[in-house]
Amino acid sequence: MKVIGLTGRIGCGKSTVAAMLHERGAATIDADEVAREVRETDPNAGAAIHARFGTDEPAALARLVFGDPQALADLEAIVHPAVRDRVRDRLAALEAAETAVAVVEAIKLLESPLRERCDEIWVVVCRPEDALDRVAQRGMSAADAERRLANQRSAEEMVAAADVVIDGSAALRQTQDQVHAALSRLLENEP
């Protein structure tokens, strides 16, 4: 099984690229969804979050952690180990099911030990104004988006670590062509 690590800054189009890969038969794992699942279903994580922050409500947590690097580090220390374990378990199940391609979509993939499980790192980039427009369409304020961006690697750092760079600002068809070409190349190089 080939594993694509898919990353990029907020609003760059990672989910769009993941959906394109899914349409081509790849199994997708969204680390944000797994993190939500951990916060909602893991009693140890939920208790630790509530003890540290006084709340486990997502919007309140976002307000608390995205302006405070230590608070963000504390939240990640609580949630990320369980997320990694669940993602690894899902990858193992997909491999046992003889899935050809799996995608792990995560903003902080480059900082994670999960990076080592990936055969390729794909980075989605876009113009900053496009990213801000996209997050605004989701209801996030520009100030909230800027706080989140301040806690993420720069696009340049991500591109430096990439095996594949996808332009999320391109027309949808062009982005789709980039994704399909990169996926075809990955599958052609399969042993």
Side-chain angles (χ1 to χ4, degrees):
M1 178 175 78
K2 294 289 188 180
V3 179
I4 297 169
L6 181 63
T7 193
R9 290 168 59 86
I10 188 171
C12 67
K14 290 181 304 301
S15 296
T16 299
V17 170
M20 290 174 181
L21 287 163
H22 184 74
E23 288 171 6
R24 300 284 290 199
T28 57
I29 302 169
D30 181 337
D32 283 346
E33 288 179 12
V34 177
R36 273 190 292 280
E37 178 185 300
V38 166
R39 288 191 310 269
E40 293 170 1
T41 65
D42 182 322
N44 294 328
I49 291 168
H50 203 276
R52 165 60 177 91
F53 298 102
T55 183
D56 55 6
E57 196 273 317
L61 282 173
R63 284 190 300 275
L64 291 169
V65 304
F66 286 117
D68 181 343
Q70 184 58 55
L72 180 59
D74 292 348
L75 179 62
E76 289 174 349
I78 294 166
V79 176
H80 284 190
V83 170
R84 284 191 300 269
D85 290 346
R86 289 184 188 204
V87 170
R88 284 186 182 122
D89 290 348
R90 289 177 188 181
L91 286 171
L94 290 168
E95 191 156 37
E98 299 183 3
T99 302
V101 178
V103 178
V104 177
E105 177 188 349
I107 283 182
K108 294 227 172 175
L109 179 69
L110 299 177
E111 296 87 344
S112 172
L114 290 171
R115 175 184 185 172
E116 300 306 315
R117 180 62 180 89
C118 300
D119 295 290
E120 288 190 348
I121 302 296
W122 290 21
V123 174
V124 184
V125 296
C126 74
R127 293 182 296 266
E129 59 272 18
D130 291 343
L132 290 174
D133 286 346
R134 289 173 184 160
V135 297
Q137 290 173 10
R138 294 185 220 152
M140 186 182 299
S141 72
D144 284 344
E146 291 294 340
R147 278 193 291 279
R148 289 179 191 227
L149 286 166
N151 290 290
Q152 297 173 13
R153 286 184 184 230
S154 71
E156 294 78 16
E157 290 175 296
M158 290 182 169
V159 166
D163 296 296
V164 173
V165 178
I166 304 291
D167 182 359
S169 287
L172 195 58
R173 180 63 191 179
Q174 291 173 310
T175 301
Q176 197 168 43
D177 289 346
Q178 293 173 63
V179 169
H180 293 176
L183 181 60
S184 295
R185 182 200 40 78
L186 176 66
L187 294 175
E188 286 170 9
N189 292 333
E190 200 165 6

